[in-house]
Amino acid sequence: MEEKTEDSFQLHVNIMKSQCMQQLGQEIHSDTGKPACPQLEEEHLSSPGTKREKVTKVCDLCTFDNLLEPAIGFCINCTDFLCKRCLVNHTRIKVTRSHVVLQGDTMPANAEPFLGLRALVKCKLHPEYDIEFICAEHSTNVCAICITDKHHKCKLDKLCAPNTGDNPKQDVVVEESILNLESQIEQFASNRERYLKRMQEDRERIIKEAQENAKLLIEKIETHTKLLEDEITQLVNKETNITESNINDAKSMYTELRRIKDLHETSHKYGSAKECVLAACHVDATSKEIARKITLLETYDDTKYLIDIIEQLPRFSNICNISLTIGEKSSSEIENASDEVVEFPECNEINEHLFNQSVRDIGIQCEYFISKCNQEVQTVDRGSLSPPTVQKDELRAVHCTMFDEATPSITKPFIERLVGEKSSYYIGNNSDAYLSRITAIQIFSDGKILLADRSNKAIKLLSSDFEVIDEYTLSGSPLDVCLVDDDIYVCCSDEKQVSRFGINVDGELFKTGGYPTRLWPVSISHFDQKVIILFLTQEDSVDNVESESVTIEIRDGSRIDRGFYIDVDDSDDEDDDLYHIVDAKRILTLETGSVLLAENDRVSCYDIDAREEEIGGREWFYRSYGKNHLHNTRGLATDTEGNVYICGQDSNNVHQVSSMNYRQNRILIADINMPLSVCVDSERDRLIVGCDEDDYIHVFEFK
């Protein structure tokens, strides 16, 4: 009887649905299988085949019988929507009679909040039980089973029931926090949408400006090309006229020569003695004149036209340079932000400035700006930028024309440039007992120059104009110096120590400290914020060409971070990468982290890692080949491009090796007497060389 009643009820529901569809003149969509009626569509989404969370305005209990009954109530205890019939049964059954059912306007739109609320009171370890206690000792919520299972050893005073008392003040705070967060999220989403729109606008504007700049560049190039065409045409036309005139002169001389030849032959065959004499004189005079003219024409040199490519174009790799700068947030963002609820996590790697800011200051707006190039692509050093003042929705652009005559031209790389004539500057003084032996040269950031004078046991400070500012007399003979921040480190040939110096406010050298060493230091170079030192095991052996055991140490002050010892008897194989290290007399650190060693008649580049116990393999080496002689290598230096400069003391020259490819090399200075040290002042485009037994330093300007 009950099944019959249910069938009758379902039939009645189906008839009502059919009538509804007929009245609306709508049918089920053939492509989606969904009814067009909004009410039926809502019921369709609630069918058993769909997820329960989407729409639950039909009876949850009837869906188990594949019935779609409209819900008129919601049980907050069972978290189920109930139809009229199920609601009646729900209130009759003793177990569910006390449940709270929401009807009418109080019935929720979906059950998700109630499901989440029920999940909060369920024990995570025993989902069938509700949470009854809070364990303060373990800071967790537990049920009755947890008390007997996991927390039976916890102290009773650490177990307490959740506080069920009302706290209106806390509720108000929570509600206000939620409202503030809602407003903050909405504001953030709105700002991000505007930001997306502005980024597209920036993109279009940048592309447009880049295209306009490219058009100007093309027009400029075309103009210069036309001028070049006119110039070469004019030169060729002039040369063509001269050459054609010479050809015509040659033809005239050839005709004249044929004429006197016929005259000479005729006089010999048919002329009288008098005619022969006169003809011979005429032929002789005429031939001499022709010879003079043709000799004069032959002295005219042919002109070969070559094109010298301007250095800007090969290095022109981009039309514009797009960089990032940090912009300030708008005032509306700051006012609507809040840091009361969200806690910013600590992180040691975060910039201290950002770390001290609150959450409202963290979401910094990024702005784009475009810096148009002149002759080559410009780069922006973010470390040198002043604090940003870019306002929101503002785009900064700096315009520079590529061929603007007012801007300086781009210079070639150092490896492609020549050096000019030598300029020499006197660096001796009356107190010097010997001619200077400049074994090391260093450049300060302000242009001042530091020299190590081995023969006079002194270090000398020069101005950027090579005038001696100050001199400090040492107890030993300095071999090498290096700069680490504001500190000057000096090693001497006859002392087992490294001395440290500084420059006071008056520009005077003064000793700030130092530390002893167990071996004889002969060369020193910076290694990050530390120093790397080359030691020899025997005193006064730096000038010997014989092999000797060496030690390389990386030091942080007096502390030895890493040491590498290479014994002279370790290897007899010349193909071994470390075979020539025992010839080392000079060390220099490259920006790549590798080190250069001057090894008598060669220079080798090795990989050194402070974390490893042994020196890495040899990366490359350079030595004499062909006419490029290199003997007794001493001074080493690099420029800002990483190119290497090598002094050959006995070969009397300075070599240059490319930073990109060591096979690209040359003798930069071919005739200089016993160079001992070299330094590149990249900012001022000059090469400084110090020599043995010479009271002058020699400066070569890069062209």
Side-chain angles (χ1 to χ4, degrees):
M1 183 69 182
E2 185 177 354
E3 293 181 358
K4 183 176 181 181
T5 303
E6 291 180 356
D7 293 341
S8 300
F9 184 80
Q10 182 63 36
L11 178 63
H12 178 69
V13 171
N14 293 338
I15 291 174
M16 289 184 65
K17 290 180 180 179
S18 176
Q19 291 176 351
C20 177
M21 289 168 53
Q22 291 176 2
Q23 290 176 1
L24 295 175
Q26 299 172 337
E27 297 181 355
I28 294 178
H29 296 300
S30 59
D31 54 345
T32 62
K34 298 180 181 180
C37 175
Q39 177 64 29
L40 297 180
E41 182 176 2
E42 184 177 348
E43 293 182 0
H44 178 79
L45 293 174
S46 304
S47 62
T50 60
K51 290 186 178 181
R52 172 177 173 152
E53 295 84 274
K54 287 186 177 179
V55 178
T56 53
K57 288 189 177 182
V58 296
C59 180
D60 291 325
L61 302 181
C62 292
T63 55
F64 292 103
D65 297 327
N66 294 326
L67 298 178
L68 301 177
E69 296 295 332
I72 63 171
F74 177 78
C75 177
I76 65 175
N77 300 87
C78 302
T79 63
D80 286 328
F81 284 95
L82 303 174
C83 63
K84 182 177 181 180
R85 184 177 59 175
C86 293
L87 179 60
V88 173
N89 294 332
H90 209 70
T91 56
R92 288 178 179 176
I93 298 174
K94 186 175 182 180
V95 176
T96 60
R97 187 181 303 165
S98 60
H99 288 190
V100 178
V101 178
L102 303 178
Q103 302 183 53
D105 296 338
T106 61
M107 187 178 71
N110 72 63
E112 185 174 351
F114 296 92
L115 293 173
L117 191 62
R118 289 300 304 160
L120 289 176
V121 300
K122 294 294 182 181
C123 179
K124 295 182 179 180
L125 298 179
H126 309 96
E128 65 274 15
Y129 294 93
D130 290 349
I131 292 173
E132 301 292 346
F133 301 94
I134 298 176
C135 179
E137 186 172 345
H138 296 92
S139 300
T140 184
N141 301 324
V142 296
C143 65
I145 302 299
C146 292
I147 293 293
T148 60
D149 185 16
K150 303 287 185 181
H151 298 266
H152 60 278
K153 293 185 179 181
C154 296
K155 297 180 180 180
L156 293 178
D157 58 345
K158 298 293 182 179
L159 297 172
C160 60
N163 184 14
T164 57
D166 294 335
N167 191 345
K169 185 176 181 180
Q170 183 179 3
D171 293 342
V172 171
V173 172
V174 172
E175 291 176 359
E176 289 180 354
S177 299
I178 292 175
L179 291 176
N180 290 336
L181 285 175
E182 286 181 351
S183 176
Q184 184 178 353
I185 293 172
E186 291 174 356
Q187 182 68 31
F188 174 80
S190 176
N191 291 337
R192 293 301 88 190
E193 290 176 358
R194 289 198 298 270
Y195 177 54
L196 289 175
K197 181 179 178 181
R198 188 176 60 78
M199 281 196 299
Q200 296 301 320
E201 294 174 352
D202 291 347
R203 172 183 171 274
E204 295 175 359
R205 177 162 46 182
I206 289 173
I207 293 176
K208 182 179 179 181
E209 292 183 4
Q211 291 174 345
E212 292 175 353
N213 190 48
K215 184 177 179 181
L216 294 175
L217 296 179
I218 293 173
E219 292 177 354
K220 195 74 173 181
I221 292 173
E222 291 177 348
T223 301
H224 282 271
T225 303
K226 184 64 170 61
L227 294 175
L228 180 63
E229 292 174 356
D230 295 341
E231 182 181 0
I232 189 62
T233 301
Q234 183 179 0
L235 292 174
V236 170
N237 289 340
K238 180 180 179 181
E239 193 68 20
T240 299
N241 294 334
I242 295 174
T243 304
E244 289 177 349
S245 176
N246 292 341
I247 293 174
N248 294 332
D249 292 341
K251 290 180 178 179
S252 300
M253 287 185 287
Y254 185 78
T255 303
E256 181 66 16
L257 186 62
R258 295 289 300 179
R259 188 186 65 80
I260 63 174
K261 181 181 178 182
D262 293 341
L263 179 62
H264 179 69
E265 292 176 351
T266 302
S267 65
H268 274 280
K269 289 182 180 180
Y270 309 106
S272 61
K274 182 179 178 179
E275 289 175 339
C276 288
V277 172
L278 293 175
C281 293
H282 176 71
V283 169
D284 182 61
T286 305
S287 60
K288 287 181 179 180
E289 180 63 20
I290 293 175
R292 187 188 65 81
K293 290 181 179 180
I294 194 62
T295 302
L296 181 63
L297 292 178
E298 287 176 344
T299 58
Y300 187 81
D301 294 331
D302 292 343
T303 301
K304 184 177 182 180
Y305 296 98
L306 301 174
I307 183 170
D308 184 14
I309 302 297
I310 300 176
E311 58 268 21
Q312 294 95 322
L313 296 180
R315 301 182 66 187
F316 183 69
S317 59
N318 199 353
I319 192 171
C320 294
N321 181 37
I322 301 178
S323 302
L324 285 173
T325 185
I326 304 301
E328 294 180 351
K329 294 182 64 178
S330 62
S331 58
S332 61
E333 290 182 85
I334 296 177
E335 291 174 358
N336 289 281
S338 173
D339 56 0
E340 296 180 1
V341 178
V342 183
E343 182 179 359
F344 184 60
E346 294 184 1
C347 179
N348 293 332
E349 297 179 357
I350 298 178
N351 182 278
E352 183 179 356
H353 175 66
L354 294 179
F355 179 75
N356 292 329
Q357 292 177 317
S358 60
V359 175
R360 68 184 68 186
D361 300 321
I362 298 303
I364 299 178
Q365 179 76 35
C366 286
E367 302 279 349
Y368 287 100
F369 79 89
I370 174 173
S371 176
K372 294 192 173 181
C373 300
N374 44 14
Q375 287 87 345
E376 69 171 346
V377 179
Q378 299 174 353
T379 58
V380 177
D381 183 5
R382 295 194 59 175
S384 64
L385 290 177
S386 58
T389 56
V390 184
Q391 298 297 326
K392 188 176 175 62
D393 299 326
E394 180 183 46
L395 187 70
R396 300 189 301 180
V398 180
H399 301 273
C400 296
T401 307
M402 177 180 177
F403 293 98
D404 188 359
E405 290 78 2
T407 59
S409 61
I410 298 300
T411 56
K412 294 180 180 179
F414 284 110
I415 196 66
E416 299 178 8
R417 298 166 67 181
L418 301 176
V419 292
E421 294 296 326
K422 177 177 66 176
S423 300
S424 300
Y425 298 88
Y426 182 72
I427 47 89
N429 57 46
N430 296 329
S431 62
D432 290 346
Y434 306 96
L435 291 175
S436 298
R437 299 182 67 187
I438 307 302
T439 55
I441 306 174
Q442 291 290 339
I443 297 286
F444 293 93
S445 58
D446 59 358
K448 291 186 177 67
I449 303 161
L450 183 70
L451 307 179
D453 186 350
R454 179 181 177 184
S455 59
N456 293 299
K457 295 185 178 183
I459 53 175
K460 299 180 179 181
L461 183 64
L462 277 61
S463 68
S464 58
D465 297 328
F466 307 104
E467 295 181 357
V468 178
I469 300 175
D470 191 34
E471 179 177 339
Y472 191 97
T473 302
L474 305 172
S475 57
S477 301
L479 291 176
D480 200 4
V481 298
C482 79
L483 306 179
V484 180
D485 294 333
D486 296 329
D487 293 325
I488 303 168
Y489 291 89
V490 182
C491 62
C492 299
S493 62
D494 45 3
E495 291 182 342
K496 288 185 177 181
Q497 70 173 3
V498 172
S499 302
R500 185 176 68 248
F501 295 85
I503 301 176
N504 60 25
V505 293
D506 296 326
E508 298 174 343
L509 294 165
F510 70 101
K511 190 172 183 178
T512 60
Y515 46 84
T517 61
R518 60 186 182 87
L519 298 174
W520 306 98
V522 295
S523 186
I524 187 169
S525 180
H526 70 89
F527 194 87
D528 295 331
Q529 297 301 312
K530 307 173 185 179
V531 294
I532 185 169
I533 308 174
L534 175 66
F535 294 92
L536 298 182
T537 56
Q538 299 180 21
E539 183 180 3
D540 292 332
S541 59
V542 67
D543 296 321
N544 298 335
V545 295
E546 291 81 7
S547 300
E548 181 183 345
S549 300
V550 300
T551 296
I552 297 174
E553 292 180 355
I554 299 174
R555 284 179 172 251
D556 185 1
S558 59
R559 187 182 75 241
I560 302 175
D561 283 358
R562 180 64 65 192
F564 308 95
Y565 175 72
I566 300 92
D567 191 273
V568 69
D569 299 323
D570 280 350
S571 176
D572 295 329
D573 184 6
E574 291 192 15
D575 294 331
D576 187 356
D577 282 354
L578 305 182
Y579 178 80
H580 293 280
I581 289 187
V582 292
D583 297 325
K585 298 297 188 295
R586 197 80 167 193
I587 192 169
L588 178 68
T589 307
L590 300 180
E591 293 298 328
T592 58
S594 303
V595 297
L596 288 176
L597 291 178
E599 305 162 335
N600 286 340
D601 294 343
R602 69 168 57 206
V603 170
S604 300
C605 179
Y606 297 93
D607 177 31
I608 288 187
D609 192 336
R611 297 168 297 181
E612 301 294 335
E613 296 183 356
E614 296 181 355
I615 295 179
R618 183 177 61 196
E619 297 178 355
W620 56 267
F621 68 91
Y622 174 74
R623 63 181 180 183
S624 297
Y625 70 95
K627 296 182 179 180
N628 287 9
H629 298 291
L630 177 63
H631 302 299
N632 195 11
T633 57
R634 291 296 168 179
L636 298 174
T638 60
D639 56 32
T640 53
E641 298 170 2
N643 302 307
V644 178
Y645 299 78
I646 308 165
C647 289
Q649 182 181 4
D650 293 348
S651 53
N652 298 321
N653 52 24
V654 177
H655 295 243
Q656 183 189 46
V657 181
S658 171
S659 61
M660 305 301 295
N661 179 11
Y662 68 93
R663 298 182 184 276
Q664 183 181 359
N665 51 71
R666 59 176 174 167
I667 294 179
L668 188 63
I669 303 174
D671 187 13
I672 185 169
N673 187 38
M674 294 189 294
L676 286 178
S677 56
V678 62
C679 185
V680 182
D681 188 353
S682 300
E683 184 176 347
R684 297 163 184 82
D685 288 341
R686 57 191 184 187
L687 184 74
I688 306 172
V689 181
C691 298
D692 192 9
E693 297 184 355
D694 190 352
D695 279 342
Y696 292 84
I697 59 170
H698 308 286
V699 181
F700 300 82
E701 300 287 341
F702 281 100
K703 295 192 291 187

